[in-house]
Amino acid sequence: MRVPTAPPRALCPSSMDPEGGSCPGGHQEGMRLLLLLLPLVLWGAPLAQRLELRQNVTVQEGLCVLLPCTFPHPQVSFGKIYMFWFREGADTKRDPPVATNKPEQKLHEGTQGRFSLPGEPQARNCSLSITDVNAGDSGTYFFRAETHFRKFPSLNKMFFLNVTALTHQPHVLSPGTLEAGRPGNLTCSVPWACERATPPIFSWTSAAPSSLGPRTPFSLVLTLTPRPQDHGSRLTCQVKFPRSGAMVERTILLNVTYAPQHVAIGMFQGNRTALKILQNTSSLPVQEGRALRLLCAADSNPPAQLSWFWGSPTLEVTPISSTGVLELPRVGAAEEEVFTCQTQNPLGSQNISLSLSVVSPPQLLGPSCFQEDEGLRCSCSSRARPAASLCWRLGEGLLEGNFSNASFKVNSSSAGPWANGSLSLRERLSSGLRLSCEALNVHRAQSGSILLLPGG
């Protein structure tokens, strides 16, 4: 429609014309026509050619996005401007928009409460705000505008919203190290989340004893009281965005410090290895003359300093080994005493002691016999750990202990590893009788014998 270039007659402000007469009916009709044409004159070029809009926008699900948009504004205000955003393929006469500033306008069910127009039309702001973006929001959208008097021409510009999977991860703030038995706080947060979105739901997964602490819309505090066995275990913070269904998580490994515990001593003797967890002051039997290697180990974090001592460790005593290994090249009687392994780190210490018990089978000296005035006297000795018990055999008869009669006398004694015995025979014995000395301890029995010859 073409607007006349010649100025029209002045419009009557009332029922009187400018010359004092009545305003002709044709002039009133012209006024109404001019009011309808005025928005088109003020808007100038088609709106589609001036709409400033990004063509493609990418956003991760669960987040928010603001699509900047501006449009040309009339040079003078002429009624309220209503703005609408529609999805591609929508019938603007029948289908509801995804967002509008028009009051009481029915909106698309899938976008209601999430799509909005935060800008003011008077500021030429047609920006579209989307919160809690979900995968179903992907697609093409277009803009419409109207006043009470007229709908503006169709717009050719559209924008495509591309929704991708959420790749952000929660932030887990921890004190770095946790001490066993002491409560510590860890905070899981999503600082990259949109404040206008629905608050996410936090959950924690851990085997360590824990309780939930203060909660804010975008973070959650976990109070953890770890145990030594929780060191190195996994702690997972999971965050779910309820309106979009997006879910992300972060897993960390717990670093728990604790004092030494579960001290163990490994024993290496010859080609055999025996690993034992010994109680304090345990006794360890070791064969005399063998090489012995003791290895001390403890479970702790940070790792414990290991040392070996003779007896009980004190501040004035120098360790015989500043490592967890104690070498004894040849075990003898001198090693039959207490050794202590000390384990220590900044959180505490634990000691374990053991007593070496040197053992050996009997080594028999004798028997030997010589003639006395009253008869025959025999002696026998044994060295063993523990000391052996001695007994005599005369033929088939067994003689032991300390006793005497008219025919013979038996004596026995012991001192340390030595056992000594003597036998006195007071009557003439038949020739060819066998006399034996036997030594016995828990490890072995050994015997020696002599044969009483004729004429002896």
Side-chain angles (χ1 to χ4, degrees):
M1 180 178 292
R2 186 174 182 182
V3 180
T5 56
R9 291 181 61 190
L11 298 177
C12 297
S14 64
S15 59
M16 299 297 294
D17 66 10
E19 299 177 357
S22 299
C23 187
H27 290 172
Q28 294 177 358
E29 198 62 35
M31 178 180 178
R32 287 194 296 269
L33 177 61
L34 184 58
L35 290 175
L36 293 175
L37 295 177
L38 185 58
L40 295 181
V41 175
L42 295 177
W43 280 81
L47 184 60
Q49 298 177 8
R50 294 188 177 183
L51 190 68
E52 297 180 7
L53 181 68
R54 290 172 58 184
Q55 298 281 285
N56 293 282
V57 176
T58 298
V59 62
Q60 296 183 25
E61 59 181 341
L63 303 184
C64 302
V65 64
L66 179 66
L67 175 69
C69 173
T70 58
F71 62 89
H73 195 279
Q75 296 178 1
V76 296
S77 298
F78 197 86
K80 184 170 180 62
I81 299 175
Y82 297 111
M83 301 178 294
F84 305 85
W85 281 98
F86 291 92
R87 189 147 191 169
E88 183 183 29
D91 185 340
T92 58
K93 295 181 179 180
R94 294 181 303 173
D95 296 331
V98 296
T100 183
N101 65 335
K102 188 174 182 178
E104 300 181 358
Q105 170 68 53
K106 182 180 178 182
L107 294 175
H108 193 284
E109 291 183 359
T111 61
Q112 190 170 11
R114 299 188 302 111
F115 284 54
S116 63
L117 296 168
E120 290 292 332
Q122 288 75 10
R124 303 175 56 206
N125 190 342
C126 54
S127 299
L128 177 63
S129 172
I130 309 175
T131 61
D132 299 305
V133 174
N134 59 56
D137 295 332
S138 289
T140 303
Y141 298 83
F142 63 91
F143 180 73
R144 287 288 184 272
E146 67 179 35
T147 68
H148 284 296
F149 302 99
R150 183 172 180 82
K151 293 182 179 180
F152 299 126
S154 298
L155 306 178
N156 293 324
K157 281 192 176 180
M158 298 182 178
F159 85 93
F160 177 74
L161 179 65
N162 179 33
V163 180
T164 61
L166 183 60
T167 59
H168 291 291
Q169 285 188 320
H171 293 186
V172 176
L173 178 63
S174 71
T177 58
L178 298 164
E179 186 176 338
R182 291 182 176 269
N185 291 336
L186 297 94
T187 302
C188 182
S189 63
V190 283
W192 37 263
C194 175
E195 294 183 358
R196 296 176 287 113
T198 304
I201 300 172
F202 291 83
S203 62
W204 291 87
T205 303
S206 172
S210 60
S211 61
L212 296 181
R215 182 194 303 267
T216 64
F218 295 96
S219 70
L220 178 63
V221 176
L222 180 73
T223 301
L224 197 68
T225 305
R227 304 159 299 186
Q229 60 265 35
D230 296 320
H231 176 63
S233 63
R234 294 177 177 272
L235 174 69
T236 300
C237 173
Q238 187 179 84
V239 184
K240 182 176 181 179
F241 294 84
R243 296 198 67 175
S244 66
M247 185 170 61
V248 289
E249 63 182 29
R250 179 182 287 273
T251 298
I252 64 171
L253 296 179
L254 294 179
N255 184 9
V256 182
T257 60
Y258 51 96
Q261 61 176 6
H262 305 314
V263 181
I265 294 179
M267 181 185 72
F268 300 81
Q269 186 174 11
N271 295 326
R272 297 190 311 170
T273 300
L275 180 62
K276 299 180 180 180
I277 299 178
L278 301 173
Q279 299 297 323
N280 203 27
T281 65
S282 293
S283 179
L284 184 65
V286 181
Q287 181 131 3
E288 184 179 13
R290 291 283 188 91
L292 180 66
R293 187 181 186 214
L294 299 176
L295 176 64
C296 181
D299 175 26
S300 66
N301 185 40
Q305 174 65 42
L306 304 174
S307 303
W308 281 97
F309 295 85
W310 263 315
S312 298
T314 63
L315 294 176
E316 296 79 15
V317 175
T318 301
I320 56 178
S321 173
S322 295
T323 68
V325 179
L326 178 62
E327 300 276 2
L328 299 174
R330 182 179 177 84
V331 176
E335 280 74 51
E336 192 166 300
E337 55 183 289
V338 175
F339 292 88
T340 299
C341 173
Q342 182 184 72
T343 66
Q344 188 171 22
N345 74 3
L347 298 178
S349 65
Q350 186 174 0
N351 299 340
I352 186 168
S353 299
L354 63 88
S355 175
L356 289 187
S357 175
V358 181
V359 297
S360 61
Q363 297 176 356
L364 193 64
L365 300 178
S368 61
C369 297
F370 59 93
Q371 194 74 34
E372 286 184 333
D373 294 340
E374 299 180 358
L376 186 67
R377 180 179 177 84
C378 300
S379 63
C380 181
S381 298
S382 170
R383 182 182 183 276
R385 292 181 184 273
S389 60
L390 293 178
C391 64
W392 295 89
R393 287 187 182 275
L394 185 59
E396 298 298 326
L398 177 62
L399 305 176
E400 56 184 345
N402 293 308
F403 68 95
S404 64
N405 57 24
S407 300
F408 54 83
K409 181 180 180 181
V410 178
N411 286 319
S412 63
S413 63
S414 64
W418 289 98
N420 302 300
S422 65
L423 173 63
S424 297
L425 300 174
R426 298 171 180 172
E427 63 181 21
R428 188 175 183 86
L429 301 176
S430 60
S431 63
L433 186 66
R434 183 175 294 277
L435 177 68
S436 299
C437 175
E438 295 183 357
L440 174 68
N441 71 1
V442 294
H443 301 287
R444 191 188 304 173
Q446 190 174 20
S447 66
S449 62
I450 59 176
L451 184 63
L452 300 179
L453 299 174

